[in-house]
Amino acid sequence: MRDNPRTPVLSALAGAVLLGGMVTFVLALPDGEEPEATSAESSETSLPGGDNGALELPDELTGGLVAVDLGTLPAELTEGFGDVARLAEQEASIAEGLEETFGVPGAFRVYAAEDGSALAQVTALDRAPGLFTPDALPIDPGVLGVERAQAELVKVDDAVCSLDWGAEVAAGQPVPETPPRAIRCQLGDGDRTYELTAQGLSPDDGAAVLQGLADA
C-alpha cells in the first residue's frame, strides 16, 4: 500500500453492514443447479486459525490491513461501526448465509488501515470460482469515444479487478495518475475463491491481499 498521507475513508464508509451496497460476492450457479451439501472434505478445509472445520480469515492481511472487529484500531476511525461485538455478529451471520446459500463453508471480515487510508471487506468461499459479474466490462475505451471509461475490468497477476474511477476521462484529455475510487477483485485458488471490495487500495494492493490469503 502507498505510504503517502491520505484523508481517512473510514468515517465515510462505516455503516450498518460496512460498505453498504458494496457488499457483493458473485458466484453464479448454473441454471437449475441447487447449492451443494457441505461435504466432509469441504468441512475440514480452513484457513490458518480455522477450528472445527470453520473457514476463518486472519486478523491481519498483506499490507497491514487489520480486522476491525478486533477493536484495536484507533477509536476515531471506527466509531461509525459501533460496537465491535455487533460487527463480529454481522460478519458471522454473513458467513452462515454464505454456507446456507452455496452449501460450502464461507467467511467474511472487514479490515482497515491503521491510518484510516483504506477500508476493505474480504469474502472467502470453499468453491471454485464461478462467473465474476463485474461493475465494468472489458471494452476498449476508444470504442466508447473516451480516453478512459468510468469503470474498467483488468487482470492483475492472477486476480481480476473491477475498477471504479468515479468519472470517465474525455477523449484527448490526460489520464490522471490517481487511484480508483473503489476496487473489487476476485482470485481463485483451486476449490476456494477470495473476493475483496475496497476503497483506498490500488489494484496491485488488492491483488496482493488476495494472493497473500491464497499463499497462507
Side-chain angles (χ1 to χ4, degrees):
M1 279 183 276
R2 296 166 299 282
D3 294 328
N4 55 307
R6 298 175 55 92
T7 300
V9 300
L10 296 193
S11 59
L13 294 177
V17 178
L18 324 168
L19 307 191
M22 293 179 66
V23 177
T24 52
F25 187 78
V26 183
L27 282 179
L29 292 172
D31 290 343
E33 182 178 335
E34 296 296 328
E36 298 175 359
T38 304
S39 66
E41 180 179 357
S42 63
S43 295
E44 294 173 357
T45 306
S46 63
L47 288 167
D51 207 10
N52 298 323
L55 179 58
E56 296 184 2
L57 290 164
D59 292 342
E60 187 170 337
L61 300 177
T62 299
L65 292 172
V66 178
V68 176
D69 59 44
L70 294 175
T72 59
L73 291 167
E76 62 270 20
L77 296 180
T78 60
E79 59 184 0
F81 288 98
D83 184 0
V84 293
R86 175 62 174 161
L87 172 60
E89 182 181 357
Q90 292 177 341
E91 292 172 332
S93 179
I94 291 171
E96 290 173 4
L98 288 169
E99 182 163 359
E100 290 175 2
T101 301
F102 295 103
V104 292
F108 176 89
R109 208 167 187 186
V110 183
Y111 298 84
E114 290 186 333
D115 63 359
S117 64
L119 177 66
Q121 55 191 37
V122 176
T123 308
L125 191 70
D126 273 346
R127 178 185 283 267
L131 175 65
F132 179 55
T133 305
D135 305 309
L137 296 173
I139 185 171
D140 188 323
V143 175
L144 301 176
V146 298
E147 201 68 32
R148 186 182 69 193
Q150 181 270 331
E152 292 182 300
L153 185 68
V154 299
K155 189 81 176 343
V156 185
D157 297 325
D158 292 329
V160 177
C161 295
S162 179
L163 314 180
D164 176 8
W165 294 104
E168 65 182 29
V169 177
Q173 296 299 308
V175 177
E177 295 185 5
T178 55
R181 182 174 67 174
I183 65 172
R184 182 154 68 95
C185 299
Q186 187 183 93
L187 174 72
D189 179 39
D191 290 331
R192 179 171 291 165
T193 300
Y194 300 100
E195 186 162 307
L196 169 145
T197 302
Q199 290 193 357
L201 298 183
S202 72
D204 287 342
D205 292 336
V209 167
L210 297 184
Q211 191 61 59
L213 287 169
D215 293 340

